[in-house]
Amino acid sequence: MSSVTIRGVKKKYGAMAVLHGIDLEIRDREFVVLVGPSGCGKSTLLRMIAGLESISSGDILIGDRVVNDVPAKARDIAMVFQNYALYPHMSVYENMSFSLRLKRMAKEMIDRKVREAAEILNLSTYLERSPRQLSGGQRQRVAMGRALVRDAQVFLFDEPLSNLDAKLRVVMRTEIKALHQRLQTTSVYVTHDQIEAMTMADRIVVMNAGKIEQIGTPLELYDTPANLFVADFIGSPSMNFLRGTLEPGAVVLADGSRVPVETTGRGAAGQKVVFGIRPEHLSLSSDGTGLAAEVEVVEPTGANIQVYARVAGMPLCAVFTERHDFRPGQTIHLAWPGRNAHLFDAASGQRL
Amino acid sequence: MTTKLTRSLIYWALLSPLMVVILFPFGVMFVTAVRPREELFVYPPTWGFSEFRWENFSEMWVKTNFGGALLNSLYVSVAATVVALVLSIPAAYAMSRYRFAGKGAYRTFLLMTQMMSPIVLVLGLFRLMMSLGLVNDLNSLVLTYAAFNMAFTIWMLQSYFNSIPRDLEEAAWMDGASHLTSLVRIFLPLAVPAMVVTAIFTFINSWNEFVLALTMMRSSEDFTLPVQIYAQVAGRYQVEWHHVMAATVLATVPVAIMFSWLQRYLIRGMALGAVK
Ligand SMILES: Nc1ncnc2c1ncn2[C@@H]1O[C@H](COP(=O)(O)OP(=O)(O)OP(=O)(O)O)[C@@H](O)[C@H]1O
Ligand SMILES: [Mg+2]
């Protein structure tokens, strides 16, 4: 097990820059999730750590060794691919033992390790099958097993669950997390699914368009997003944004309504700002005061009720756990605890 | 059940004209090969014959030096196939996996070489082989057959290589394999179907080639089968048609049977390409 350090790493394909300078310190035993929209460069960064992609500039260190020019096979890193990349002409057992056979490990030793990994992953009865004869979830586990038997310094995962159905994805998510807690191998996990990121990560790295937007624990990102992008990306349903102008003690919306917010030390009067509040932090105000919103659509999910409404022409979502009987067209009044309100500069998108 | 039967019958009825056209020469060939010499030129021609003369084959074998020509043909076709494959696989792999300047131009060049008939080049090739001292040497045929087939084999192999996911090799590298190891243990086993197809193609082309063989081979002990059979017909006072036909049967049928049997491996191999 080992730390991974990424210093000022850039990637260019010809003239097109894909990564614009990434700095990231992944600690020993940590489970770090790279998350971001499609095309933001997550896979590219992961493949650079793996040694499958060259580094245009900057350094990547595994432990304290600069590995820029070390070929993939010598980096002692295991990787789980999105489409599993199981060797189709080998049985599950051969797939899992391939790396050990390359190392010319003793037969009994290989056998012990493969059976141990198969035990952990519930694959013991499938060892003689070929990958073709397995379900998606089982193939995924074989891909994990191939990484597991190696005792590698670092595990890399590139969207390993994206080919699975929703239910299995949740199960495997928990399994991978449990596995990490047990093995404690430094892991870098790529996904575009923020729930996966939130539930699995020790720390999350939010990426966008080849840059890191924010690094932090799941709750740090949720509670104090550094900018509009992170605020929007983390959380489901995502945060509500109301555009307006800053005045002492409030944000004034387009229709003149005032949204009360703590403003001391947060920008100047007259500044264009974005007020942010998460749907789950909204509640009905009992006395008819608070932000007036016109209900448009009501979606009960069972556990809660999601209400889509409009405030000064802007869409807003609220989630209630109590059972309210809302009707479309009805006006409701919303309140929230002051500490849950977020404020961003409209021009730069940075948190105020 | 009956509808299925009638449908099959209709399909076969529709296919039959084509079948007749294709099978007619083989029919003539076979019937001529097994009838007694005296019945060769009966008029009007008939399909029937008085007895099966299997001896035609053994007579022919001795009289036409069939065995020697067969060995020559086998040597040339197998060697040309091996040379073509050994040289095409790295070329196709590079074209499939690496980017390099002039790759598109190279592909076009390969295609263009296919548009030239060997006959156009035969004089030049003859002089080339002369200067190399390879005239009357079977290896001259090995070289030219391999060269003429490589454009196709590279194209064919490259298209198939493109369909083998790069992830598999990358996974092997991550597992600690060198490029060579991943090539030998992962990539090539998956490319076997394509290699079989191209091998069959090259083999058949070489087996049937006539013009170059006729030009390059001067002495009769170096003749390949097509030239040897031709020599039984051309410039003879009397042509032993039953022997000629017996020889063509022996030259075509075993190869045809062998490859229709190999075909099942192709189909099985194709299914192996599926990864997900
Ligand atoms: N070989 C390549 N040549 C040129 N551009 C490339 C190449 N590979 C990737 N890119 C570009 O780099 C950018 C980042 O790609 P990358 O695969 O890292 O995205 P990603 O974040 O993993 O997205 P996804 O979630 O869709 O997998 C994309 O805009 C892509 O078009
Ligand atoms: Mg990706």
Side-chain angles (χ1 to χ4, degrees):
Chain A
M1 275 148 276
S2 190
S3 64
V4 177
T5 312
I6 297 165
R7 279 197 215 127
V9 161
K10 294 186 184 175
K11 178 71 189 177
K12 289 194 180 105
Y13 287 110
M16 190 178 69
V18 171
L19 292 177
H20 316 271
I22 301 287
D23 287 288
L24 178 60
E25 180 87 38
I26 297 162
R27 293 189 278 266
D28 193 13
R29 295 160 191 264
E30 200 173 21
F31 196 104
V32 166
V33 175
L34 304 181
V35 69
S38 188
C40 71
K42 312 176 292 285
S43 298
T44 306
L45 182 58
L46 196 75
R47 291 168 53 83
M48 285 164 92
I49 300 175
L52 297 174
E53 208 79 64
S54 66
I55 300 170
S56 301
S57 71
D59 288 317
I60 293 181
L61 289 79
I62 295 172
D64 352 289
R65 179 168 73 135
V66 177
V67 293
N68 289 18
D69 299 317
V70 178
K73 67 164 188 156
R75 290 195 186 186
D76 198 12
I77 289 177
M79 180 156 169
V80 178
F81 289 77
Q82 178 169 2
N83 61 11
Y84 319 138
L86 301 180
Y87 312 128
H89 55 305
M90 296 184 187
S91 69
V92 169
Y93 186 95
E94 289 166 332
N95 261 281
M96 286 172 58
S97 61
F98 184 67
S99 60
L100 305 179
R101 283 183 284 144
L102 284 180
K103 277 193 215 158
R104 309 199 179 284
M105 193 179 274
K107 268 226 159 55
E108 313 77 63
M109 187 78 166
I110 294 180
D111 199 62
R112 222 193 59 220
K113 277 178 169 283
V114 171
R115 289 187 194 284
E116 214 174 84
E119 194 64 43
I120 296 175
L121 294 163
N122 276 325
L123 284 171
S124 302
T125 48
Y126 303 106
L127 285 175
E128 298 314 317
R129 294 224 195 150
S130 91
R132 238 175 322 169
Q133 300 165 314
L134 298 179
S135 72
Q138 289 161 347
R139 287 178 205 187
Q140 210 284 329
R141 273 195 278 251
V142 177
M144 299 262 305
R146 211 165 53 175
L148 219 60
V149 293
R150 284 190 36 205
D151 303 323
Q153 299 288 319
V154 182
F155 281 169
L156 304 178
F157 302 83
D158 192 354
E159 309 208 24
L161 306 183
S162 62
N163 286 336
L164 303 181
D165 64 56
K167 238 192 186 122
L168 198 52
R169 201 144 56 201
V170 175
V171 175
M172 289 306 297
R173 187 165 92 193
T174 319
E175 279 186 24
I176 293 177
K177 188 167 180 174
L179 208 58
H180 177 255
Q181 281 166 1
R182 170 168 171 179
L183 300 174
Q184 302 271 308
T185 309
T186 312
S187 303
V188 186
Y189 186 104
V190 163
T191 176
H192 58 257
D193 179 352
Q194 59 93 18
I195 297 191
E196 231 168 83
M198 292 292 281
T199 49
M200 299 174 84
D202 292 328
R203 279 194 307 156
I204 298 178
V205 178
V206 182
M207 291 180 64
N208 182 31
K211 287 201 192 71
I212 292 181
E213 295 280 354
Q214 189 174 2
I215 304 175
T217 63
L219 293 183
E220 276 166 16
L221 297 194
Y222 181 86
D223 291 335
T224 52
N227 52 45
L228 277 175
F229 181 85
V230 177
D232 189 35
F233 199 83
I234 300 292
S236 167
S238 54
M239 190 187 281
N240 296 302
F241 297 115
L242 300 172
R243 297 177 171 274
T245 316
L246 199 61
E247 278 184 14
V251 173
V252 180
L253 304 183
D255 67 347
S257 51
R258 294 170 64 86
V259 181
V261 64
E262 178 57 57
T263 56
T264 39
R266 296 169 102 180
Q271 189 177 353
K272 296 281 176 219
V273 292
V274 177
F275 169 82
I277 183 76
R278 293 197 184 275
E280 54 274 28
H281 292 146
L282 291 168
S283 59
L284 276 188
S285 70
S286 42
D287 52 359
T289 59
L291 192 63
E294 192 190 326
V295 175
E296 287 189 329
V297 177
V298 181
E299 290 180 351
T301 62
N304 52 38
I305 304 172
Q306 299 187 1
V307 179
Y308 294 89
R310 216 154 255 285
V311 173
M314 289 173 282
L316 179 133
C317 173
V319 174
F320 302 105
T321 40
E322 319 88 64
R323 316 245 144 175
H324 295 293
D325 191 17
F326 295 124
R327 240 155 256 123
Q330 181 184 352
T331 299
I332 54 175
H333 294 268
L334 299 167
W336 55 88
R339 66 190 147 83
N340 290 131
H342 306 266
L343 209 52
F344 303 94
D345 177 46
S348 68
Q350 293 305 310
R351 179 181 193 84
L352 292 174
Chain B
M1 188 61 216
T2 39
T3 51
K4 205 173 158 195
L5 186 69
T6 39
R7 218 184 295 164
S8 308
L9 284 176
I10 291 171
Y11 290 151
W12 280 110
L14 288 173
L15 278 172
S16 54
L18 191 69
M19 302 263 302
V20 168
V21 170
I22 293 175
L23 291 180
F24 183 80
F26 286 96
V28 172
M29 186 170 88
F30 186 73
V31 166
T32 313
V34 297
R35 67 175 55 186
R37 188 169 192 280
E38 311 77 55
E39 293 174 23
L40 281 179
F41 295 108
V42 288
Y43 190 86
T46 61
W47 287 104
F49 42 86
S50 60
E51 60 164 321
F52 244 85
R53 273 281 170 89
W54 290 114
E55 303 91 270
N56 282 354
F57 285 90
S58 45
E59 274 170 39
M60 176 279 296
W61 189 284
V62 178
K63 276 180 92 173
T64 62
N65 184 26
F66 189 89
L70 182 73
L71 283 182
N72 289 342
S73 263
L74 272 178
Y75 170 74
V76 168
S77 306
V78 170
T81 304
V82 170
V83 171
L85 272 189
V86 165
L87 295 179
S88 303
I89 288 171
Y93 184 82
M95 303 239 313
S96 158
R97 289 298 194 255
Y98 300 115
R99 304 176 192 221
F100 53 89
K103 182 163 139 182
Y106 183 61
R107 263 182 84 91
T108 319
F109 165 74
L110 286 180
L111 189 66
M112 268 167 38
T113 61
Q114 289 303 83
M115 298 179 180
M116 249 180 293
S117 155
I119 297 182
V120 181
L121 298 175
V122 81
L123 272 178
L125 282 171
F126 185 72
R127 299 196 53 171
L128 179 71
M129 289 307 165
M130 193 109 113
S131 64
L132 292 176
L134 283 178
V135 170
N136 238 345
D137 185 336
L138 285 171
N139 289 320
S140 66
L141 293 184
V142 172
L143 286 181
T144 41
Y145 291 171
F148 273 111
N149 280 296
M150 270 178 58
F152 172 82
T153 51
I154 292 174
W155 264 74
M156 173 77 199
L157 288 173
Q158 192 207 338
S159 340
Y160 192 85
F161 287 2
N162 284 345
S163 74
I164 298 177
R166 211 173 284 232
D167 283 1
L168 292 178
E169 284 168 275
E170 290 178 344
W173 300 338
M174 301 299 301
D175 270 349
S178 66
H179 281 242
L180 186 68
T181 312
S182 75
L183 200 69
V184 173
R185 307 249 318 242
I186 307 294
F187 187 85
L188 289 181
L190 295 174
V192 163
M195 297 195 294
V196 173
V197 180
T198 46
I200 289 180
F201 184 87
T202 312
F203 185 92
I204 290 179
N205 271 352
S206 310
W207 186 261
N208 291 332
E209 206 285 333
F210 175 68
V211 174
L212 286 169
L214 184 68
T215 315
M216 306 285 183
M217 296 302 119
R218 308 270 92 198
S219 67
S220 63
E221 67 267 21
D222 287 333
F223 283 176
T224 56
L225 276 177
V227 180
Q228 182 71 339
I229 292 171
Y230 168 76
Q232 305 307 310
V233 180
R236 292 265 174 138
Y237 178 65
Q238 194 181 32
V239 178
E240 306 277 358
W241 281 111
H242 56 305
H243 287 166
V244 173
M245 289 306 173
T248 45
V249 167
L250 280 194
T252 48
V253 173
V255 180
I257 289 175
M258 190 173 94
F259 286 126
S260 47
W261 171 73
L262 265 180
Q263 191 178 294
R264 72 184 59 203
Y265 287 92
L266 294 188
I267 295 160
R268 206 174 66 180
M270 296 291 179
L272 213 126
V275 180
K276 274 199 198 173

